[in-house]
Amino acid sequence: MGHLSFIQILALLMVITINASTISRSGKEKVDVERTEGLVEMLREFLDDEEFEDDDEDFIDDDTSLDDVWLDDETRDSFNEDQAALILHEGGEFIQGYDALTHFVDLEEEWFKDHDQHLGSGTRETLGMKRNFDKGTTTWPSGLIPYTTRNFAESRSLAAIKEAIQIIGKETCVKLFEKGSSSAVDYITFDGKGQGCASYVGKTGNQQVVDLQEPGCMTPETVIHEIMHAIGQQHEQSRTDRARYITMLWKNIDKGNYVNYFTELTHDGVSPYDYFSTLQYALGTEMKIPDQRLAFLTSASKTLSHYDVKEIVTAYKCDETCGSVACQNRGFARKTVAVPDKCTCRCPKGLKGTSCTEREGDNDCGGIIELNNGESRSIKAPGYASGTYTTGKECIWFIKGTGTNARIKVEVQELDILASTTTCPHYLSMRYTLVGQPGVNLCNKITSSKTFVKTISDETNMFLFEFNSKKPAASNIGKNGFKLFVSAYQSGCALKPCKNYVTCTDLPNAGYKCTCQIGYSGDNCDVVAASAVVTCNFETDIGGKCCLKNDKSIKNAIWLEKGSGLIGAQKVYAKDGAVFARPFGQYYGNVAKLQTELTFADGARCLQFTAIVVKAREGEQQSGLAVYTVKQGSPLETLKSLVETTSNNWQEFKIPIETLHQKKVVFAGKIGDTMLGIDNVIISKGCNGEGASVCANQPCKNGGVCSSSGASFTCECKSGFSGSTCEIAAKPCDAKPCKNNGQCLNKASGSTTYTCVCVDGYKGTNCKTIDQSCNSDQWKCADGQCIANEFRCDWRLSHCNDGSDEKGCTDHCLSKPC
């Protein structure tokens, strides 16, 4: 069978899969349908509010930068600053700021994640795309994309599409234009009556429908998201290198929505993982990241991020004739639709100039500072010496380490900046992740120093921070601003020496320490002792805690985490849990290899795993699995060869191995038409039962007792805990159900109920609803400051800040509701 036929079969399988997913989604219980309808109606109410009205004529001109789009709108300006704020209170507690848009954004994200769908990929012709561009999708020739629209009832929908197209054209050479009466065969159709927000990935050929259901999908950022799929990009959380940056919480993800979280066939070498990408879902309860201070980034982006632009520029060769343009400091050259005849540098926000070597902000403060390893600098706020920092300032410092494996560290020795109860009107913004992302905003006063060390990436030697006191605010008299100590040092962790998903800590003299997970030892956590057990159930990713890794020397095939496959028209799911490993390749006969990259101590071993290999029918290409060990310079030793498992279903295997010393275990998957997958891999001491159990890896949390059966296990939980690994605490507040900084109060011991005490301006069971009572003239306060709550169980006993309660003077707390 030729390559084209193979592709057609793949496309057919994808369509069948999505149809099955759609049927499953539409078959939800009535309560979920009503909930979705309620969300849509609430979105419509928000969109009908004058505050959110779009001006149909307010489009981007050729002199407007992406950052102007990001910051010009006053409401979004407030969101990006306040949502990013981490307010340092007395004692150093971090509290995430919020503003009036938080409820709207949370609602929009919740609706979007339930309705964003993948409809498979376009024709897989090449593995040449980069980063979260799917390696196998087809791009649009010369970046030219004709489009049509249909079924849109509201003018604001067409305005959102036009704005999204102009933003893309402003920043890249990808041009979407109305098809009109042209004879274009391949084009996109935006459909307002589609099911949710949905797009194929890459160019499919002929008419290609992008679903943008009104009103929930009709924001410019959502349209951009779906267009990015259509031009070939996968979700950020689907990158093959995600394990270092993000963890899937599969138990909290609806099975019908798994497709939006699986890893895909991406190449991740163009730019680092970007929490701020418009293709990154908000964390919600579905994902977590190592540094919770950065969680705001996953829901803050309202347009293309700096790295989104970089990815499109690279894939569509918008920089192809820009060889003489040298951009530095994570800037990059590109031509755009708006300015097609000129190459310019796209600089990270805060930097500027023809090569991104100049800084933005005021000329009399800030600066670009280069530090060699071992050098340091003290930096103070303008006005610090007088005891009151200067207002009306925008000061930007860009710190760059010039030494070998340089890493930047910033110690906030003093901080005393004006703060409101929830936000930072003036702030010190610390961009300690990527220079092209927003930073963590700091304000208020600290009593002990705080340290920010640049996160490990290919930007470890760059740190940008900004002091901004431009907003009119209450008096800052007596507040000295800040004092920082900035230093550069040679980092051992910058080389990423630690293996198997562990924490790296820098030590003096370029040393490092790896903190190993259970089962691993050695300086780099790549040694397995004779009695240790290492596992892989693929829930924590092949690039993460899994004991198996993809063979990177193979360029045309790869193993990926997936949640289902097909036997004919029947769906097959993981043996246990949510995901298992499947091989994907460019052509029939390509072989993907999963292998151990570990040093095993000498001694007997036992390899356990489950596999499914479906027998091919007539006319189909047979998939196959070979499991073997290999030692450098020696022939491989076959452990198992499979072209069919019992009853075309999951089958468990337990194979004794004399020794793995100086050997690798390899799972080689041959690409064919039929279903092939592996799951629950365990390498233990021996097959006689001693140590040959997944329980040896201590999967049960909070003191739970583990018992195993083959490659599966169960946890008997202590009182007060539940869940498959005893990870769920009985106290419901541990799940943080209260939103918008609401305080959670557990009910009586053993109860599963809770109460949320909402902050001013919010109400409802989970503090998600904006309280509009202050706008209804129900309250008249002498000081003009109304507290829009039904009650507050703290020192504040009335609805007016000054206690006057001139109108509506009922003291709700007298009824002791808490």
Side-chain angles (χ1 to χ4, degrees), residues 36 320 346 410 425 753 782:
T36 299
E320 190 170 30
R346 210 287 176 183
V410 178
T753 58

PDB file of all heavy atoms in Angstrom, residues 36 320 346 410 425 753 782:
ATOM      1  N   THR A  36     -23.729  24.041  30.755  1.00  0.00           N
ATOM      2  CA  THR A  36     -23.116  24.660  29.582  1.00  0.00           C
ATOM      3  C   THR A  36     -23.987  25.796  29.060  1.00  0.00           C
ATOM      4  O   THR A  36     -23.496  26.872  28.731  1.00  0.00           O
ATOM      5  CB  THR A  36     -22.904  23.615  28.480  1.00  0.00           C
ATOM      6  OG1 THR A  36     -22.029  22.607  28.974  1.00  0.00           O
ATOM      7  CG2 THR A  36     -22.317  24.234  27.230  1.00  0.00           C
ATOM      8  N   GLU A 320      13.051  34.409   6.157  1.00  0.00           N
ATOM      9  CA  GLU A 320      13.887  33.723   5.176  1.00  0.00           C
ATOM     10  C   GLU A 320      14.899  34.649   4.504  1.00  0.00           C
ATOM     11  O   GLU A 320      16.015  34.249   4.188  1.00  0.00           O
ATOM     12  CB  GLU A 320      13.008  33.062   4.113  1.00  0.00           C
ATOM     13  CG  GLU A 320      13.771  32.127   3.193  1.00  0.00           C
ATOM     14  CD  GLU A 320      12.834  31.312   2.324  1.00  0.00           C
ATOM     15  OE1 GLU A 320      11.733  31.792   2.003  1.00  0.00           O
ATOM     16  OE2 GLU A 320      13.203  30.173   1.969  1.00  0.00           O
ATOM     17  N   ARG A 346      11.736  41.629  16.255  1.00  0.00           N
ATOM     18  CA  ARG A 346      10.651  41.576  17.232  1.00  0.00           C
ATOM     19  C   ARG A 346      11.312  41.364  18.596  1.00  0.00           C
ATOM     20  O   ARG A 346      11.821  40.275  18.896  1.00  0.00           O
ATOM     21  CB  ARG A 346       9.705  40.435  16.893  1.00  0.00           C
ATOM     22  CG  ARG A 346       8.253  40.645  17.312  1.00  0.00           C
ATOM     23  CD  ARG A 346       8.018  40.526  18.793  1.00  0.00           C
ATOM     24  NE  ARG A 346       6.638  40.826  19.102  1.00  0.00           N
ATOM     25  CZ  ARG A 346       6.149  40.848  20.331  1.00  0.00           C
ATOM     26  NH1 ARG A 346       6.924  40.587  21.359  1.00  0.00           N
ATOM     27  NH2 ARG A 346       4.889  41.136  20.534  1.00  0.00           N
ATOM     28  N   VAL A 410      18.497  37.354  41.868  1.00  0.00           N
ATOM     29  CA  VAL A 410      18.121  38.671  42.376  1.00  0.00           C
ATOM     30  C   VAL A 410      17.553  38.513  43.779  1.00  0.00           C
ATOM     31  O   VAL A 410      16.559  37.802  43.974  1.00  0.00           O
ATOM     32  CB  VAL A 410      17.091  39.360  41.452  1.00  0.00           C
ATOM     33  CG1 VAL A 410      16.676  40.704  42.043  1.00  0.00           C
ATOM     34  CG2 VAL A 410      17.659  39.546  40.060  1.00  0.00           C
ATOM     35  N   PRO A 425      -1.016  48.872  42.559  1.00  0.00           N
ATOM     36  CA  PRO A 425      -1.065  50.033  41.659  1.00  0.00           C
ATOM     37  C   PRO A 425       0.337  50.465  41.230  1.00  0.00           C
ATOM     38  O   PRO A 425       0.533  50.911  40.109  1.00  0.00           O
ATOM     39  CB  PRO A 425      -1.762  51.104  42.497  1.00  0.00           C
ATOM     40  CG  PRO A 425      -1.611  50.652  43.910  1.00  0.00           C
ATOM     41  CD  PRO A 425      -1.570  49.162  43.881  1.00  0.00           C
ATOM     42  N   THR A 753     -18.773  19.171  53.064  1.00  0.00           N
ATOM     43  CA  THR A 753     -19.243  20.491  52.660  1.00  0.00           C
ATOM     44  C   THR A 753     -18.329  21.575  53.199  1.00  0.00           C
ATOM     45  O   THR A 753     -17.531  21.351  54.105  1.00  0.00           O
ATOM     46  CB  THR A 753     -20.676  20.737  53.158  1.00  0.00           C
ATOM     47  OG1 THR A 753     -20.710  20.602  54.585  1.00  0.00           O
ATOM     48  CG2 THR A 753     -21.638  19.733  52.540  1.00  0.00           C
ATOM     49  N   ALA A 782     -21.249  57.250  53.502  1.00  0.00           N
ATOM     50  CA  ALA A 782     -20.671  58.578  53.696  1.00  0.00           C
ATOM     51  C   ALA A 782     -19.321  58.696  52.997  1.00  0.00           C
ATOM     52  O   ALA A 782     -18.985  59.731  52.421  1.00  0.00           O
ATOM     53  CB  ALA A 782     -20.535  58.887  55.190  1.00  0.00           C
TER      54      ALA A 782
END
